[in-house]
Amino acid sequence: MSSATLLPAGIPATHPAVATVAVRAPLEIAFPPTEAPGPGEVLVHVLWTASSPLDLHQADGGLLVKHPFAMGTSFAGRVAVLGPDSSQRLKVGDEVFGFTFRSPREKGFQTYITTDQYMTSRLPKNLTLQEAVAVPTNLVTAFHTITADLELPLPWPVPSSSWQPELSQTPILVWGAASSVGLYTLQVLRHWGYRSVIAVASSKHHEMLKGVEYGAAACFDYSHPQVASQIIEHVTTTKTSDNGCLIPFMIDCIGSREGSLRPLTKLAEKGTKVAVMLPVINIHASHDREPEYEMDVSRVLMGEWKEGVQLRGTRTHFYLRNEFFKDHLQPEIVPALLEQGVIKPNKARVVEGKTLLERAQNALDLLRIGAPSGEKLVWRVAEDDDERI
Ligand SMILES: NC(=O)c1ccc[n+]([C@@H]2O[C@H](COP(=O)([O-])OP(=O)(O)OC[C@H]3O[C@@H](n4cnc5c(N)ncnc54)[C@H](OP(=O)(O)O)[C@@H]3O)[C@@H](O)[C@H]2O)c1
């Protein structure tokens, strides 16, 4: 990168980064070079990150991983250096956060990342870095899934306060509504005027999900043995759909073969679009069992789906194919929705540990036992910056 800026004094030539080195092995610390930003890029000093189930899929299942593999898909920190030809949006010292996943140098579990400026959001005044880091990965997932997989419109800016989508009263089922993906999906659908959202989550979350922030029209408990027939009865009696199937749109925020896909085979009909968070989890990771995943949703429960069901495997890592989202989603839409209070960050659970490695490992252990429920695991990355933490 010939036109890259030189690293200013005080920025280390290498820095610690958390990596997985073998399937189910303890995490390790590597020391990659700190890369000066090229044109349109930024170097960020990372203060906070968030864990997500993908970390477990990578560490225990080796999913799409070549070892050693740098980890982390979100960061929050402070702009250390701007590359040449920078936009006017950012300046050195700004607090920023984002969802990054494409290469080792932009992975969130390290104290410095180098990434494109369009992968960053400026921290809104009403949030701390610790709160904001719980947002970008799955808010971007919600936008990508609704627009790319369900093909429902989310125009930006919302045309007017009275604007309603054409399918505002059409049922949309969100299975796993209390997951991180589910909570952002509900908030986005509510803001854009989708009024017939059916949420599936454990009962303890139902009051919250029906409240003004999440706006679910009805809630069902996935642990109830009759959950599928309860949902069918509900949509049959409310009968808001007019395009041939009872529930034309479904988002499976969990992607568990037995826990979510199997019940959805009973609900999806010809014409239903079902977006499934990949990977499909055939066997969940645990201390004594290696997980099993499937990246091709059409190979799961073959022969059990009704003819004409449109299965879509969601892969948010492709969201940048949408040029408008590339330029506007993280730089503009995410911070605006947070600043306006339209989107509320997931409740954060701070994972403690004496070192970067210990915090990363502790967070992974919590994912392995399925501990997060309606919350996001967040933890400190660099410790040499004690302002506004
Ligand atoms: N491919 C992609 O683009 C993409 C993007 C983002 C996430 N994902 C994947 O999507 C999955 C969810 O991610 P996340 O960060 O949202 O997870 P998460 O917040 O850690 O998920 C925890 C939640 O899952 C819920 N849950 C567990 N089993 C369930 C079931 N059988 N039915 C309904 N809800 C269930 C629990 O709900 P209760 O509290 O109600 O029990 C819990 O709150 C992960 O596998 C992740 O890797 C994929």
Side-chain angles (χ1 to χ4, degrees):
M1 212 172 292
S2 55
S3 50
T5 317
L6 288 176
L7 285 177
I11 295 190
T14 63
H15 61 268
V18 177
T20 166
V21 294
V23 167
R24 300 176 86 214
L27 301 177
E28 291 189 7
I29 293 288
F31 286 90
T34 308
E35 289 189 33
E41 294 181 339
V42 62
L43 177 75
V44 178
H45 186 37
V46 180
L47 302 175
W48 287 92
T49 192
S51 289
S52 67
L54 179 61
D55 308 334
L56 184 64
H57 307 332
Q58 292 172 336
D60 279 19
L63 184 76
L64 307 178
V65 157
K66 197 163 166 264
H67 296 109
F69 185 83
M71 298 179 70
T73 58
S74 55
F75 69 89
R78 192 166 282 122
V79 172
V81 182
L82 283 167
D85 301 335
S86 291
S87 71
Q88 302 300 305
R89 187 174 59 91
L90 299 177
K91 56 183 189 326
V92 170
D94 278 351
E95 290 173 306
V96 288
F97 62 101
F99 165 46
T100 46
F101 49 85
R102 299 167 298 175
S103 61
R105 67 191 201 136
E106 66 175 16
K107 296 297 188 73
F109 295 179
Q110 58 188 328
T111 57
Y112 284 91
I113 63 160
T114 307
T115 188
D116 291 292
Q117 291 175 27
Y118 59 75
M119 302 298 276
T120 66
S121 305
R122 270 185 70 175
L123 185 73
K125 289 191 179 59
N126 53 336
L127 294 183
T128 63
L129 289 173
Q130 183 200 307
E131 290 167 324
V133 81
V135 177
T137 305
N138 289 332
L139 183 52
V140 172
T141 297
F143 273 96
H144 174 74
T145 310
I146 295 165
T147 57
D149 296 321
L150 298 190
E151 299 172 284
L152 291 170
L154 298 174
W156 178 263
V158 178
S160 71
S161 56
S162 60
W163 182 84
Q164 287 284 304
E166 204 182 315
L167 299 179
S168 65
Q169 303 304 322
T170 300
I172 302 174
L173 181 76
V174 179
W175 192 287
S179 68
S180 174
V181 173
L183 290 170
Y184 291 119
T185 299
L186 254 60
Q187 293 184 83
V188 170
L189 290 171
R190 188 220 64 228
H191 182 60
W192 266 269
Y194 294 94
R195 294 284 170 256
S196 249
V197 175
I198 301 164
V200 180
S202 49
S203 314
K204 65 180 176 185
H205 300 301
H206 288 187
E207 200 183 326
M208 168 185 79
L209 296 173
K210 284 186 186 165
V212 285
E213 281 157 348
Y214 298 98
C219 292
F220 297 89
D221 192 326
Y222 64 88
S223 64
H224 194 290
Q226 306 303 327
V227 60
S229 36
Q230 288 176 337
I231 294 169
I232 291 171
E233 192 185 332
H234 166 77
V235 282
T236 311
T237 46
T238 49
K239 202 110 181 86
T240 48
S241 179
D242 52 5
N243 75 345
C245 38
L246 284 173
I247 311 174
F249 301 99
M250 298 179 182
I251 302 181
D252 177 358
C253 303
I254 306 302
S256 159
R257 184 183 63 192
E258 298 306 321
S260 55
L261 281 164
R262 194 173 290 283
L264 290 179
T265 61
K266 302 191 182 110
L267 294 166
E269 302 166 274
K270 182 175 181 184
T272 304
K273 288 179 186 162
V274 187
V276 180
M277 292 303 131
L278 294 179
V280 173
I281 302 165
N282 289 334
I283 296 174
H284 192 276
S286 60
H287 278 293
D288 47 15
R289 189 129 194 223
E290 220 172 280
E292 276 180 31
Y293 303 119
E294 173 58 62
M295 286 301 284
D296 181 353
V297 69
S298 70
R299 293 167 58 87
V300 182
L301 301 176
M302 283 162 82
E304 297 193 32
W305 295 96
K306 293 189 189 73
E307 203 185 315
V309 171
Q310 299 177 41
L311 284 176
R312 315 236 157 126
T314 293
R315 291 193 70 177
T316 306
H317 288 185
F318 293 140
Y319 94 92
L320 294 163
R321 288 179 179 174
N322 178 325
E323 284 289 324
F324 181 80
F325 278 170
K326 179 181 159 209
D327 294 335
H328 297 276
L329 189 47
Q330 299 211 65
E332 180 188 334
I333 301 175
V334 168
L337 292 173
L338 288 167
E339 185 147 29
Q340 293 160 11
V342 168
I343 297 289
K344 184 177 151 189
N346 286 169
K347 194 175 126 208
R349 187 203 290 201
V350 179
V351 180
E352 305 290 354
K354 286 193 206 73
T355 61
L356 172 64
L357 182 60
E358 208 174 290
R359 293 187 286 276
Q361 189 65 58
N362 288 347
L364 189 65
D365 292 344
L366 288 170
L367 289 172
R368 201 176 280 122
I369 58 167
S373 172
E375 63 195 356
K376 191 88 183 149
L377 303 178
V378 304
W379 41 282
R380 189 83 186 162
V381 181
E383 291 171 290
D384 52 345
D385 184 323
D386 57 5
E387 293 168 56
R388 228 186 136 178
I389 53 172

